[in-house]
Amino acid sequence: MNYIYHYDLAAILICIIVGGLFYSKKHFPSKSNRLFLTIGALIITASVFDVISVFTLTHIDTVPIWFNYLVNCTFFLAFNCTYIVYFIYILLITERNKEPYGKVVKIVNSVVLLYINFVILTTPWLKLVFYFEGNEYKHGPLHVSLYVVAFIMLGGCIFTILTSKRKINNMHLITTCVIAVISIVAILVQFVWNELLLVDFVAALLFFMLFHSLQNPDEYLDKELDIFNMKAFLQKIVNLSGKKRGFTVLAFEIEGFQFVDQFMGVESGNDLLAVVVKDCLKELKGDLYHLDGTKFAYIFDKNSKEIEEYADWLKWRFVTAFRVNRVAVNLSLRLCKVDFPEVASTREEMLNAITSSLEQAKEENSYDVIEATKEAIEKHQRSAIISHILKGAVRNKSFDVYFQPIYSFEDRAFSAAEALVRLQDPELGFIPPDEFIPIAEQNGLILEVGDIVFHKVCEFLQSSEVTNLGIRYVEVNLSMVQCIQEDLHKHLKAIMDRYEIPYHMIDFEVTETFSTSDNRILMNNMSNLIDSGCTFAVDDYGTGFSNADYLIEFPFDLVKIDKSVVWSATDNEKAMKVLEHTAAMIRSLGLKIVAEGVETFEQVLMLRSMRCEFLQGYYFSKPLPPDQYIEFLRNAEVCIKEKLTDRLAMLS
Ligand code: C2E
Ligand code: CA
Ligand code: CA
């Protein structure tokens, strides 16, 4: 037979070129890369031995028979293994190797591998695949089965690809399928025209296709920084996830690029990033991964001492400026570390943990390494959800305002109330303001939340009969973020004017802040509103956020003693003494006292003896929706009689 071996020579050349291209670039050491290179090596082996077999078969009379067996058996082994390895490769890239499906397929592959090894390696003796009769090469009874095995493997590949559509993108799906289909056609052609020796050439072309679309090292590379990218990081996590000991990821985000981008151009920003990365790599033995933007990650062995050492080195390095185009730029660094699998057990969880821990570092303004914990991540995720809910609630103005009655000893009536915001979500249910107000303060929505609340309070005061029911004023909480808006006083007065609410009907509650520049604006807002007739109360007094200086410095009318202070004075003699002195001190400054969190009659007695003017708490009523609050006021006399006058009378 006249074999055409030139295709095989071309196949060898193609595989060598692809291998050369692959190794010429920084390549990511992954399992899929290893399998890919194995496929290339098998194609080269099959082609080389195919070419040799052309020579040995045409010179059967001069070449020793054992050598002919060796050459042809090696060819068949390499040929069949190519498709088995391709199948394993497909299982890996479709991520179906860990599923029960993958396990079954692996068993089938092992059986097939055993079969072809047995059939081929015993051929010199059992003559199952081929044999020599005189000087003639003949097919054995199981020769066809080797082709059938290749078809089964390729059919398995196609089935796996088509049933894993979500795990693999369209481009990769088409490429891998086309490779399998063309291989089937090529094997059929070679089966019919034995002398063509086409199959390895086609395999080599397909190997090139695979390189171009799936295994191009560039896919895993950040070319500008010449380090691995996010895709490589995620792949590395998957590769390492089988390891028993686990590992720790140290991630960091570099801050301060806005300045360079803004004043020196984005080009300089990129140059600077390259300078920084080069520096960061100096102290690193392994690979640094560029996640996105200015976020990077490095993978350490679990509990490795190097983590702390490297983090310390990074912190130290970022104290000094970096230089770009002869300009010194100061950058800062947020760091976090995440344990796998204790804190994050999948690549998605790992990314999530890194993102939320770095955000946590920013929120806490921490330059230390934030150690990711499941709780912190969950908390952060809940915050993100609440932030999203808040946006919707602001858009739909779907906050409610409840009113908690405040009893005045002087008026012998519930002549005031505190307005408290309420947020209800269909999925999370009631979200306490203690939880969502700080989030709204962080994302800036507090200004709109405050507006909605104030509108609702004014609307309520305008439309209801509360003034007839003895209400003299309503206390409205102001966040410090609101208080430091220069024109807050104008804004609030405009709203009160719109609803024609007399200014003296509003008392604003504020909690102390520490920044003096903010205090100037707060003072300006307070003075303007007070001049118009509003009053101010200092909230949460006694919690450590409010101190006496604050009372001296600012024109407050009222002091709200925090509920925690009331509660500790109830159980603790010393705390009671402190409260007694605090109350006396406040009164001596000419301010009135509202005691919060009054839950028992004993507390009423205690606070009365300290001459607190106002009481607020569950003992009288929880915060109520507007209609129930009106109802409460209508029955107030009964409540006062039952809860106060009758019980006080019994005592005397
Ligand atoms: P706060 O200003 O100290 O409000 C008093 C809180 O104590 C309210 O909680 C009230 O329901 C609760 N409380 C009153 N009496 C008792 C009692 O006897 N026992 C117990 N256990 N609790 C009592 P709420 O409504 O959950 O509000 C929590 C915090 O959220 C408020 O603390 C305030 O800082 C903030 N907040 C509420 N509404 C607004 C608002 O409209 N704007 C702003 N900026 N903050 C608000
Ligand atoms: Ca308050
Ligand atoms: Ca309070």
Side-chain angles (χ1 to χ4, degrees), residues 243-263:
K243 257 187 156 183
K244 263 213 182 102
R245 259 189 59 197
F247 53 90
T248 302
V249 172
L250 178 77
F252 57 91
E253 181 168 7
I254 306 166
E255 290 180 336
F257 277 88
Q258 304 89 318
F259 168 81
V260 186
D261 287 346
Q262 204 175 335
F263 296 105

Side-chain angles (χ1 to χ4, degrees), residues 151-216:
F151 285 142
I152 294 174
M153 292 292 109
L154 290 164
C157 290
I158 296 173
F159 179 80
T160 309
I161 296 160
L162 293 181
T163 52
S164 328
K165 282 185 191 154
R166 260 180 285 142
K167 298 271 177 167
I168 148 171
N169 72 33
N170 274 348
M171 166 76 173
H172 293 176
L173 185 139
I174 293 168
T175 313
T176 45
C177 258
V178 163
I179 289 175
V181 172
I182 295 180
S183 299
I184 290 176
V185 175
I187 294 168
L188 267 178
V189 170
Q190 171 140 349
F191 189 67
V192 179
W193 290 285
N194 257 292
E195 69 282 5
L196 262 182
L197 306 190
L198 190 72
V199 79
D200 288 321
F201 175 66
V202 172
L205 283 181
L206 300 176
F207 179 59
F208 176 72
M209 256 172 90
L210 207 59
F211 167 75
H212 189 69
S213 76
L214 275 90
Q215 291 303 138
N216 192 335

Side-chain angles (χ1 to χ4, degrees), residues 93 437 534 561 563:
I93 63 158
I437 294 285
C534 295
I561 306 269
K563 48 185 179 288

Side-chain angles (χ1 to χ4, degrees), residues 418-420 475-477 509-511 539-540 560 596 616:
E418 177 172 6
L420 293 157
E475 295 180 354
V476 176
N477 291 284
E509 295 185 5
V510 291
T511 314
D539 204 358
D540 298 337
K560 294 199 78 171
E596 218 182 55
Q616 173 184 358

Side-chain angles (χ1 to χ4, degrees), residues 82-361:
T82 308
Y83 301 103
I84 295 176
V85 176
Y86 186 56
F87 198 1
I88 299 172
Y89 173 83
I90 293 292
L91 282 179
L92 184 78
I93 63 158
T94 53
E95 292 173 29
R96 300 198 64 184
N97 49 341
K98 289 203 182 95
E99 286 178 32
Y101 173 83
K103 287 187 184 136
V104 173
V105 172
K106 267 189 190 159
I107 294 170
V108 173
N109 276 349
S110 309
V111 173
V112 168
L113 201 62
L114 263 177
Y115 172 79
I116 61 162
N117 268 296
F118 174 77
V119 173
I120 295 171
L121 296 179
T122 56
T123 280
W125 300 276
L126 302 181
K127 305 185 186 332
L128 295 173
V129 180
F130 62 90
Y131 58 95
F132 298 99
E133 214 174 64
N135 276 350
E136 221 176 313
Y137 169 84
K138 296 233 157 141
H139 291 161
L142 295 182
H143 178 259
V144 172
S145 75
L146 294 187
Y147 288 89
V148 173
V149 162
F151 285 142
I152 294 174
M153 292 292 109
L154 290 164
C157 290
I158 296 173
F159 179 80
T160 309
I161 296 160
L162 293 181
T163 52
S164 328
K165 282 185 191 154
R166 260 180 285 142
K167 298 271 177 167
I168 148 171
N169 72 33
N170 274 348
M171 166 76 173
H172 293 176
L173 185 139
I174 293 168
T175 313
T176 45
C177 258
V178 163
I179 289 175
V181 172
I182 295 180
S183 299
I184 290 176
V185 175
I187 294 168
L188 267 178
V189 170
Q190 171 140 349
F191 189 67
V192 179
W193 290 285
N194 257 292
E195 69 282 5
L196 262 182
L197 306 190
L198 190 72
V199 79
D200 288 321
F201 175 66
V202 172
L205 283 181
L206 300 176
F207 179 59
F208 176 72
M209 256 172 90
L210 207 59
F211 167 75
H212 189 69
S213 76
L214 275 90
Q215 291 303 138
N216 192 335
D218 286 350
E219 286 218 16
Y220 292 93
L221 210 59
D222 181 318
K223 279 198 237 163
E224 271 161 35
L225 299 175
D226 199 33
I227 56 175
F228 291 125
N229 62 14
M230 167 83 101
K231 188 172 172 180
F233 178 70
L234 296 178
Q235 186 60 50
K236 186 76 183 176
I237 301 286
V238 173
N239 296 351
L240 290 177
S241 57
K243 257 187 156 183
K244 263 213 182 102
R245 259 189 59 197
F247 53 90
T248 302
V249 172
L250 178 77
F252 57 91
E253 181 168 7
I254 306 166
E255 290 180 336
F257 277 88
Q258 304 89 318
F259 168 81
V260 186
D261 287 346
Q262 204 175 335
F263 296 105
M264 298 168 69
V266 179
E267 281 286 307
S268 302
N270 292 343
D271 291 349
L272 176 62
L273 195 60
V275 169
V276 175
V277 166
K278 220 169 159 193
D279 244 41
C280 291
L281 284 171
K282 274 188 196 153
E283 289 290 304
L284 269 186
K285 284 191 208 93
D287 292 311
L288 185 66
Y289 297 85
H290 185 195
L291 301 185
D292 60 39
T294 57
K295 281 192 199 132
F296 297 85
Y298 184 81
I299 302 174
F300 288 92
D301 285 342
K302 182 64 73 53
N303 301 328
S304 154
K305 264 202 294 181
E306 289 172 16
I307 305 175
E308 304 303 323
E309 283 169 13
Y310 187 58
D312 286 343
W313 181 84
L314 277 176
K315 282 193 246 170
W316 169 83
R317 176 60 194 90
F318 275 74
V319 172
T320 1
F322 290 88
R323 289 198 162 266
V324 61
N325 304 338
R326 277 187 269 146
V327 178
V329 185
N330 285 306
L331 298 169
S332 53
L333 199 62
R334 308 288 182 182
L335 295 134
C336 74
K337 64 176 186 184
V338 186
D339 283 331
F340 190 101
E342 291 80 0
V343 176
S345 57
T346 63
R347 60 186 174 185
E348 287 79 15
E349 282 179 16
M350 176 55 76
L351 277 191
N352 217 337
I354 291 175
T355 313
S356 63
S357 305
L358 289 175
E359 273 172 31
Q360 187 191 335

